[in-house]
Amino acid sequence: EGIDATFAACVFVGYHARAGTAAAILDHTISSATVRAIRINGMEMPELGINGAIAGAFGVSVVMLSGDTATCRQAGEILGPELVAVAVKDAIGRTAAKMLPREEALRALKEGAKEALGKRARAVPLKLGPPINFELDLLTSAMAEMPLLVPQVKRLGSRSVGFTANDFLEGFKLLRVLISLA
């Protein structure tokens, strides 16, 4: 919310791994109450990828992210090699982690931000060109019923719906509507 083309870069702090990630703190994708997975152009996306693509639609790169080790690994795969990922905890399970001591975490975040801003010119925005295929996997087959009331939405499986958009931001808005209908 609030990003536009005037931003020089994005820093994502305190992010979580996508829903279903083993050994990740509070893994979820948008809403753990309804969403099993979101795929965009065939790639399963955590919130960091979705928000990175929103920034990319405005030509803005994500230069740094912090979270647990699983989240940092996913971020590198999706947001690219120039991303500075700062792991401040290592998950033992969904709700327990080995945390860096506070001072060490603060130092790592400060050093990561300095490095990320220094590499900002080399960072590439995550831009998804048309057509953009959105797939939404829900927890139950019943949840996939209401989204079918939207004309361009098709059922892809017992718990899955999808659609194609020519603009990422418009597609993201429709995705949010579908999640609210589920």
Side-chain angles (χ1 to χ4, degrees):
E1 187 66 39
I3 191 167
D4 62 32
T6 65
F7 283 65
C10 281
V11 173
F12 292 168
V13 178
Y15 267 63
H16 298 272
R18 69 179 153 247
T21 302
I25 296 295
L26 301 177
D27 60 305
H28 66 277
T29 302
I30 301 199
S31 167
S32 59
T34 57
V35 177
R36 284 183 50 155
I38 293 172
R39 282 181 302 286
I40 301 172
N41 290 344
M43 176 184 266
E44 190 171 345
M45 286 285 194
E47 290 174 26
L48 66 93
I50 295 166
N51 291 341
I54 291 170
F58 292 101
V60 180
S61 301
V62 179
V63 296
M64 181 183 146
L65 172 136
S66 74
D68 66 18
T69 52
T71 304
C72 289
R73 194 170 34 257
Q74 289 175 10
E77 294 167 2
I78 295 167
L79 298 173
E82 294 300 324
L83 176 78
V84 175
V86 180
V88 294
K89 55 192 150 216
D90 190 21
I92 297 167
R94 188 169 197 278
T95 58
K98 296 176 196 170
M99 313 265 293
L100 287 181
R102 182 180 186 278
E103 291 305 317
E104 192 176 328
L106 290 173
R107 184 172 50 256
L109 291 167
K110 184 176 180 179
E111 290 170 3
K114 184 177 180 181
E115 178 187 353
L117 293 175
K119 295 168 58 172
R120 187 181 80 211
R122 295 191 309 265
V124 178
L126 178 59
K127 289 187 172 246
L128 302 176
I132 306 163
N133 296 308
F134 289 82
E135 298 175 40
L136 175 61
D137 291 349
L138 299 158
L139 291 179
T140 69
S141 59
M143 291 176 179
E145 294 292 325
M146 288 298 285
L148 296 174
L149 295 173
V150 178
Q152 70 222 59
V153 176
K154 305 288 184 234
R155 193 155 208 156
L156 303 175
S158 63
R159 297 183 292 201
S160 302
V161 296
F163 64 93
T164 300
N166 287 320
D167 176 85
F168 184 81
L169 296 175
E170 293 304 314
F172 173 71
K173 290 175 189 174
L174 180 54
L175 179 68
R176 294 297 299 180
V177 168
L178 299 182
I179 291 167
S180 72
L181 290 173

